[in-house]
Amino acid sequence: MSQLRNEAILVWMLRGMAIVSGAIVLLILVFLIWETLPILQSIGLTRFFNDPSWHPTSDEFNLTPMLSGTLLVMSGAVLIATPVGILSGVFCHYYAPPVLAKLYRRLIELLAGIPSVVYGFWGLVVLVPIIGRIHPPGPSLLAGTLILTLMILPTIALVADASLANVPPDYLRGAAALGLGRWAIVRGVVFPAAKSGLLTGIILETGRAIGETMAVLMVCGNVVQVPKSVFEPVRTLTANIALEMAYAVGNHRAALFVSGLVLMAMIVALVIAAEKSNKGHIY
């Protein structure tokens, strides 16, 4: 009887936490809409993508350069970090000696705990000058992509490691009994079995890449433009908010909240895409 009561209390606590979490997300969304509603009613949504440039003091509110900068930096980092993180998990589980695998995991855990400003500072004093010697000016889309890759790599690597560890050993023994080689087992058995966890890791790293601010702000150059090459400076939506919110007033302030609403929409789209990708998957 006591066990049933404890389980009922646990269920109610979990429901309560779920309700609180959902309410917080809903309140954030309502707050963003409330702050952006006046400017959306006065100038409309299309001007945020059709205006000549981003000059809020001159009533020009084009977010396209910052949106493109965000998408380019995020996409580049995810495209590099995803295969590296997943293959590092494969190496640890199926190729590396146990001592080396354990050491590698501790290193990845250490990288996951480094503050973003430290990554940004290292990129500013080490990586940016190296890129500047190759192709001036140095602060650039490439610098932001490389720094962001380092920052999100621990996320996908650790999630991939945990997902691969949860593959049932019977799957591996059965595949080995059929005479499959090690890579054939990984490609044909392990990856399909760990698909859900790997997708979760990709979603988590992409979410962090979209929302990262300080490190990207320090190394990207913060020029409002659509870059024509990886060596040109860019500004992301998050960096734009961080740089201008302190002195923004009126429509300028409201336009920065529109930037936040765009970021929220990107995260919602990411979650919906993840749900559709996992739909019908058997765990």
Side-chain angles (χ1 to χ4, degrees):
M1 195 70 178
S2 176
Q3 183 178 357
L4 291 175
R5 184 169 61 251
N6 291 336
E7 289 181 356
I9 293 174
L10 179 61
V11 169
W12 279 107
M13 289 178 61
L14 292 175
R15 287 178 179 175
M17 287 187 286
I19 292 172
V20 170
S21 300
I24 291 173
V25 174
L26 185 61
L27 286 173
I28 292 173
L29 183 59
V30 170
F31 173 73
L32 287 174
I33 293 174
W34 178 263
E35 291 289 342
T36 58
L37 201 56
I39 191 170
L40 291 177
Q41 289 177 335
S42 62
I43 71 171
L45 181 62
T46 56
R47 282 190 55 185
F48 287 96
F49 303 97
N50 295 331
D51 273 1
S53 183
W54 171 263
H55 291 294
T57 54
S58 302
D59 287 334
E60 295 180 355
F61 302 102
N62 191 355
L63 295 177
T64 302
M66 280 80 75
L67 181 59
S68 67
T70 300
L71 293 174
L72 289 171
V73 173
M74 177 269 293
S75 300
V78 170
L79 287 175
I80 298 173
T82 299
V84 173
I86 293 176
L87 292 178
S88 69
V90 171
F91 174 74
C92 284
H93 278 280
Y94 303 107
Y95 292 93
V99 175
L100 181 59
K102 183 177 180 180
L103 179 62
Y104 174 79
R105 290 188 184 98
R106 296 297 175 268
L107 177 63
I108 292 298
E109 290 170 357
L110 176 63
L111 288 175
I114 297 176
S116 61
V117 68
V118 176
Y119 280 108
F121 184 68
W122 177 84
L124 186 63
V125 301
V126 176
L127 184 60
V128 167
I130 293 174
I131 295 175
R133 286 194 290 270
I134 298 172
H135 192 294
S140 58
L141 170 61
L142 178 60
T145 298
L146 295 178
I147 286 296
L148 201 54
T149 298
L150 287 177
M151 296 181 67
I152 67 175
L153 179 60
T155 301
I156 181 62
L158 292 174
V159 175
D161 183 74
S163 300
L164 297 177
N166 287 329
V167 174
D170 290 343
Y171 290 9
L172 306 179
R173 287 194 289 266
L178 293 173
L180 296 178
R182 188 176 301 181
W183 176 245
I185 293 174
V186 170
R187 184 184 58 195
V189 177
V190 173
F191 284 163
K195 175 185 174 183
S196 177
L198 297 178
L199 284 174
T200 299
I202 294 172
I203 297 304
L204 290 175
E205 68 168 348
T206 305
R208 181 174 185 188
I210 291 174
E212 178 53 42
T213 304
M214 186 54 66
V216 174
L217 184 152
M218 295 173 73
V219 302
C220 279
N222 300 308
V223 176
V224 180
Q225 64 176 356
V226 177
K228 295 180 176 62
S229 77
V230 295
F231 295 103
E232 291 190 356
V234 297
R235 180 184 291 189
T236 63
L237 287 169
T238 52
N240 191 54
I241 295 171
L243 286 168
E244 300 188 8
M245 182 57 78
Y247 61 86
V249 294
N251 280 347
H252 184 185
R253 181 176 181 275
L256 294 179
F257 277 101
V258 174
S259 301
L261 193 60
V262 171
L263 288 169
M264 178 68 81
M266 292 171 66
I267 296 298
V268 171
L270 186 65
V271 172
I272 293 174
E275 289 293 329
K276 289 187 177 295
S277 297
N278 280 327
K279 187 176 182 181
H281 184 75
I282 300 175
Y283 294 87

